[in-house]
Amino acid sequence: MFYREAGDFKTSYQEDNQTFPIRFDRYRYYAVLAVGFLVIPFLINDYWANAILLPFLIYAIAAIGLNILTGYCGQVSLGTGGFMAVGAYACYKLMTAMPEVSMFIHVILAGGVTALVGVLFGLPSLRIKGFYLAVATLAAQFFLVWLFNRVPWFYNYSASGQISAPERDVFGILITGPNTQAWATYLFCLIFLTGSAIIARNLTRGKLGRTWMAIRDMDIAAEIIGVNPLRAKLSAFAASSFFVGISGALFFSVYLGAVEVGEAFGINKSFLVLFMVIIGGLGSIFGSFAGAAFLVLLPVALKVVGVDWLGWPTDIVAHLQLIIVGALIVAFLIVEPHGLAQLWRVAKEKLRLWPFPH
Amino acid sequence: MKLRLTTLALGAALAAGPALADLVFPSLDYRTGPYAANGIPVADAYADYFEMINARDGGIGGVPARVLPCETGYNTEKGVECYEATKSEGSLVYQPYSTGITYQLIPKATADDIPIHSMGYGRTSAKNGKVFSHVFNYPANYWDGASIAIKHILDLNGGDINGKKVALVYHNSAYGKEPIRTLEDLAKKHGYELTLLPVDHPGQEQKSQWLQIRREKPDYVLMWGWGVMNQVAIQEAANIRYPMENFIGIWWSGSENDVLPVGEGAHGYKALALTSPGSDFKVYEDLKKYVYDAGKAAGNGDQMGTVLYNRGLYAAVLAAEAARIAQEIHGTPDITPGMMRDGMEALDITAERLAELGFEGFATPFKVSCENHGGNGMGAVQQWDAQAKTWTLVTDFIVSDADIIDPLIAEDSAAYAAENSIEERCN
């Protein structure tokens, strides 16, 4: 019904292999992009930007990054928080060392630095798998946080060990610091998210993505048919860390503005992003968006309902939040172990045949 | 669903009615999370005091005060969310009770023309009002605390601590690192040796630090801890039989929550204090009459007279007083956050005024000015009596060593001003 394929003729391989082969789906995607880029910036205010949309956009980039590594390449990582910290501190050092360079360049360079660090910590993955690798990345998490807390050079010798983002602009529009406009920070992050999603989508359906999935599904067979595990695993670590680093840089510079490494990039961050990927759906770009939306927006929505509408005490609502979010995670994973993305796929299948039962 | 519809209808009805003017005091509190035990008394006191003001005086200058609670859980992201959610309500002053959230809000609130009061925490160099126009940390800050502790040690040793060993056990975060530079400078001045012992969040694990203390036997141990870290440290100190009267915590490491779990072992432990302990003040009579007995107490109503409850009361009374002064300066009962800032800058707490407010002997007088947002930098030392389960002040209020602290503040705030290209005010 909604997803009609009748009359939607493809006459080339390119058309057949596009991301959204069904016309309705494609138009919906364009509509979402149009709303995101052309409508929301005119309606947005500080609260929507800083409390809801920025965290969603930034966590979605982090989830895409982790999804490449864990969802597509099967390498479990618990070091996401640490790699985000690398992105944040790289961005900070670049911002303070080269104030006149555009923020776009800084964020991308921060992603590049994180990719290098990610490759370094990805080296053990050639020897170890599964739980053992998870523990190795956990070590990366703790080591990186310790490093940024320990070496004063990283925080420019400030008395408190905090890093604060100075004011920087892109084409004369302020992007970091206190005097930013909500629409500017929102668009800046949205551009990065859109770019990340498109790059990740095309990486994962090309040759590189296939080698990752081959390694994930059966590494020995993959090696026999000629996939080089060294290159596959390290490229997955590099691509994944690149996106995670970008998200860390944005998290620090655009969203929070000041960061204390142990508090902002602790082990909880790693778990949070991992949960996003699991709930959203492993091995799916849409899943990264869905998981980030679920874990960022749901607590805020519950708070608004509980405190602002029903007038309940804040501590009760905070405890209820934990219970409800936890229960929903369990319920979702029981109903659909493959996450929200799979639920969405099933719904789409149903809609293609609707109203005829199948 | 039905419930939601009624609340929506109610909300619409309220919105349609005449807008009630009130003075909004947001309370970024944490009744949940790892630091809940310390967040609850502070939040209770803040709510109770304004409740009392409304019941007794009909508000401030005839305008009722409204406390707007928002749960941060001591988490910076939630803190930002709370700030954004409450600022549109006309919030007058933010008190985040977290150094991390304070750092986050300093630039944002300054840009939004809303004052921040970080009472005895936050960014120390905010004392310099020339650079930090909207941030206040009176009556005293961390560096004052470090200096007061060292002065107390000097007093105990007849003014000479050359060659003594002092260890600092600190929470490995922005908060815990704050006093280090001051203590290093004081070490140069007085000739003691300083050992630094960081403890990672949340602070349950301190075996190695106390092993080191046992080995090196420092003459004095200072502590910058928060939450569970304090109890663990005091317990460890008791375990290695460290002489408790030589163990001094900052004012965030000196509440009942920190010493009660340790029992007898905590006897003699010292901590700094911003206010007198206990509930033997006239204000408590009014609180009892208008709030507790009326059944309006916030939370469980079981925190009265604790150290942190008193600190929350002090924060509330200073905010109410600043609001009153702001109303006088601007000649209007409905003040904006910008006017509130002016009131805070003109705050003058005299001993007479404290007595009038029912806080006689509760704290020391101080005066805020355009240049000085940090008050007089005075604190006292309190000691725990494990048998009576009470804190008592063992010294008078001590003033910190301005010769050491002022240059540090000038240096740090100048760096901030240069980084953010801020023009100095008050000229």
Side-chain angles (χ1 to χ4, degrees):
Chain A
M1 161 73 194
F2 288 109
Y3 290 93
R4 287 173 54 139
E5 283 161 280
D8 197 352
F9 300 119
K10 309 281 193 304
T11 51
S12 72
Y13 287 119
Q14 216 172 348
E15 283 181 349
D16 229 4
N17 281 335
Q18 60 191 336
T19 301
F20 297 104
I22 300 170
R23 196 186 295 127
F24 175 79
D25 225 6
R26 198 161 52 241
Y27 290 150
R28 187 183 47 82
Y29 163 70
Y30 292 142
V32 168
L33 275 186
V35 168
F37 276 100
L38 304 172
V39 179
I40 292 179
F42 293 103
L43 304 174
I44 198 166
N45 63 17
D46 271 359
Y47 175 72
W48 275 93
N50 292 334
I52 296 167
L53 288 170
L54 285 190
F56 161 66
L57 297 172
I58 290 165
Y59 278 122
I61 299 175
I64 288 173
L66 186 63
N67 224 333
I68 285 179
L69 188 62
T70 305
Y72 285 98
C73 195
Q75 311 296 310
V76 182
S77 165
L78 289 173
T80 320
F83 294 129
M84 279 176 84
V86 174
Y89 276 77
C91 187
Y92 174 68
K93 289 305 286 186
L94 289 164
M95 279 165 88
T96 47
M98 296 180 276
E100 59 287 333
V101 178
S102 162
M103 267 308 286
F104 269 112
I105 313 272
H106 284 324
V107 173
I108 291 168
L109 283 177
V113 171
T114 316
L116 291 176
V117 176
V119 168
L120 201 66
F121 282 103
L123 284 172
S125 69
L126 305 173
R127 287 268 173 214
I128 51 182
K129 286 182 211 158
F131 277 125
Y132 304 97
L133 180 65
V135 173
T137 53
L138 195 63
Q141 160 76 40
F142 286 119
F143 169 75
L144 289 167
V145 168
W146 173 86
L147 180 77
F148 293 131
N149 220 341
R150 179 84 199 151
V151 182
W153 179 80
F154 286 112
Y155 47 83
N156 285 357
Y157 305 95
S158 79
S160 60
Q162 285 243 11
I163 53 172
S164 328
E167 280 198 349
R168 294 288 178 267
D169 60 328
V170 174
F171 311 126
I173 303 161
L174 284 178
I175 292 296
T176 65
N179 299 311
T180 48
Q181 301 290 328
W183 63 266
T185 53
Y186 162 79
L187 270 183
F188 188 70
C189 291
L190 184 65
I191 289 166
F192 272 104
L193 175 61
T194 314
S196 303
I198 291 171
I199 293 169
R201 166 72 194 163
N202 287 316
L203 275 179
T204 50
R205 58 183 183 158
K207 182 189 164 199
L208 199 55
R210 286 162 198 263
T211 60
W212 292 341
M213 287 186 258
I215 292 284
R216 173 190 69 193
D217 294 336
M218 198 182 258
D219 50 352
I220 296 186
E223 210 170 341
I224 288 166
I225 58 169
V227 172
N228 180 344
L230 170 88
R231 273 172 42 195
K233 283 177 177 174
L234 289 190
S235 60
F237 263 98
S240 158
S241 304
F242 176 73
F243 293 128
V244 170
I246 283 182
S247 81
L250 293 172
F251 188 84
F252 150 69
S253 61
V254 180
Y255 169 42
L256 286 184
V259 153
E260 190 183 313
V261 66
E263 209 270 346
F265 298 117
I267 183 75
N268 290 343
K269 213 36 109 244
S270 299
F271 284 132
L272 184 67
V273 180
L274 187 64
F275 294 157
M276 283 175 185
V277 172
I278 291 172
I279 293 164
L282 285 166
S284 145
I285 301 295
F286 171 75
S288 310
F289 282 76
F294 185 87
L295 283 183
V296 170
L297 306 184
L298 191 70
V300 176
L302 286 174
K303 194 189 110 170
V304 168
V305 171
V307 176
D308 302 354
W309 292 6
L310 303 175
W312 291 352
T314 47
D315 49 343
I316 304 271
V317 174
H319 288 135
L320 277 177
Q321 248 179 31
L322 292 172
I323 295 168
I324 293 171
V325 173
L328 277 176
I329 291 173
V330 173
F332 261 124
L333 292 181
I334 289 172
V335 173
E336 186 48 84
H338 297 290
L340 298 169
Q342 179 63 17
L343 278 177
W344 178 239
R345 267 195 291 269
V346 170
K348 237 161 64 171
E349 286 299 320
K350 287 233 185 306
L351 284 173
R352 276 164 80 167
L353 299 165
W354 192 83
F356 305 111
H358 188 44
Chain B
M1 193 66 220
K2 205 165 165 189
L3 189 63
R4 225 174 70 181
L5 280 175
T6 34
T7 39
L8 277 179
L10 263 177
L14 281 176
L20 291 169
D22 49 12
L23 300 171
V24 180
F25 292 93
S27 171
L28 266 56
D29 45 29
Y30 36 97
R31 295 171 180 276
T32 64
Y35 301 102
N38 292 344
I40 290 168
V42 170
D44 282 357
Y46 207 64
D48 285 348
Y49 187 78
F50 284 109
E51 185 69 52
M52 193 262 301
I53 290 276
N54 285 344
R56 189 188 66 188
D57 316 341
I60 302 165
V63 188
R66 178 161 64 100
V67 172
L68 192 62
C70 187
E71 172 71 35
T72 66
Y74 203 75
N75 168 310
T76 43
E77 285 166 67
K78 281 194 194 155
V80 171
E81 199 259 324
C82 275
Y83 171 77
E84 295 292 350
T86 52
K87 83 176 179 193
S88 58
E89 303 243 358
S91 296
L92 292 177
V93 56
Y94 280 92
Q95 310 215 19
Y97 284 100
S98 141
T99 293
I101 298 177
T102 307
Y103 266 86
Q104 213 97 86
L105 294 186
I106 285 171
K108 286 190 168 81
T110 306
D112 291 331
D113 193 22
I114 303 173
I116 293 178
H117 181 201
S118 52
M119 189 172 103
Y121 57 96
R123 187 177 185 127
T124 302
S125 56
K127 182 183 173 97
N128 184 356
K130 291 179 180 175
V131 174
F132 295 89
S133 56
H134 286 69
V135 193
F136 298 84
N137 53 10
Y138 51 78
N141 56 50
Y142 294 138
W143 301 355
D144 294 327
S147 164
I148 291 163
I150 295 295
K151 269 201 168 173
H152 177 62
I153 294 172
L154 278 166
D155 287 345
L156 295 177
N157 290 287
D160 178 29
I161 51 172
N162 205 349
K164 294 261 186 219
K165 281 192 257 179
V166 177
L168 172 70
V169 176
Y170 66 96
H171 193 270
N172 200 358
S173 67
Y175 152 61
K177 287 178 189 165
E178 281 269 356
I180 293 175
R181 215 166 272 187
T182 312
L183 286 169
E184 283 169 348
D185 280 19
L186 285 162
K188 283 190 204 116
K189 183 171 172 177
H190 298 297
Y192 61 84
E193 271 177 64
L194 182 67
T195 321
L196 299 177
L197 299 166
V199 174
D200 277 316
H201 166 90
Q204 310 264 33
E205 191 44 65
Q206 299 181 33
K207 280 269 180 280
S208 65
Q209 285 87 346
W210 289 92
L211 198 69
Q212 201 174 336
I213 288 175
R214 197 169 151 180
R215 250 201 329 263
E216 296 185 6
K217 296 194 181 60
D219 301 284
Y220 295 94
V221 177
L222 304 181
M223 171 158 74
W224 250 251
W226 186 227
V228 71
M229 171 182 164
N230 295 336
Q231 302 160 21
V232 174
I234 294 167
Q235 184 66 62
E236 292 285 356
N239 292 352
I240 66 164
R241 297 211 178 76
Y242 189 82
M244 278 294 170
E245 63 279 6
N246 296 344
F247 185 14
I248 307 167
I250 180 71
W251 40 72
W252 300 110
S253 303
S255 75
E256 287 76 3
N257 300 329
D258 306 326
V259 283
L260 280 173
V262 185
E264 287 294 312
H267 186 74
Y269 169 73
K270 286 176 180 170
L272 301 180
L274 291 171
T275 62
S276 302
S279 55
D280 197 9
F281 302 98
K282 204 176 143 293
V283 70
Y284 270 99
E285 293 166 22
D286 289 343
L287 281 167
K288 190 169 163 8
K289 182 171 155 194
Y290 291 103
V291 182
Y292 311 151
D293 291 350
K296 289 184 189 161
N300 297 337
D302 55 358
Q303 300 288 339
M304 293 75 187
T306 61
V307 168
L308 288 169
Y309 188 88
N310 279 2
R311 191 158 310 154
L313 278 186
Y314 196 39
V317 72
L318 294 180
E321 200 53 15
R324 189 185 60 82
I325 293 171
Q327 287 173 338
E328 279 177 12
I329 294 175
H330 290 278
T332 168
D334 283 326
I335 49 171
T336 61
M339 296 175 183
M340 178 74 183
R341 195 208 72 81
D342 301 344
M344 290 170 83
E345 201 158 74
L347 190 64
D348 182 6
I349 298 288
T350 60
E352 295 78 44
R353 184 64 195 156
L354 276 174
E356 270 173 50
L357 292 163
F359 285 92
E360 196 167 1
F362 189 75
T364 52
F366 68 90
K367 197 170 179 332
V368 185
S369 67
C370 181
E371 293 83 13
N372 176 3
H373 282 194
N376 56 11
M378 286 171 87
V381 180
Q382 60 181 17
Q383 193 165 22
W384 177 247
D385 182 336
Q387 279 87 33
K389 293 199 168 52
T390 51
W391 288 103
T392 36
L393 293 189
V394 290
T395 64
D396 288 338
F397 278 85
I398 305 169
V399 69
S400 62
D401 187 344
D403 301 348
I404 293 284
I405 294 172
D406 290 349
L408 285 172
I409 284 179
E411 183 193 342
D412 192 74
S413 53
Y416 183 86
E419 251 176 52
N420 297 283
S421 42
I422 295 172
E423 293 277 311
E424 288 209 347
R425 311 157 51 240
C426 318
N427 302 326

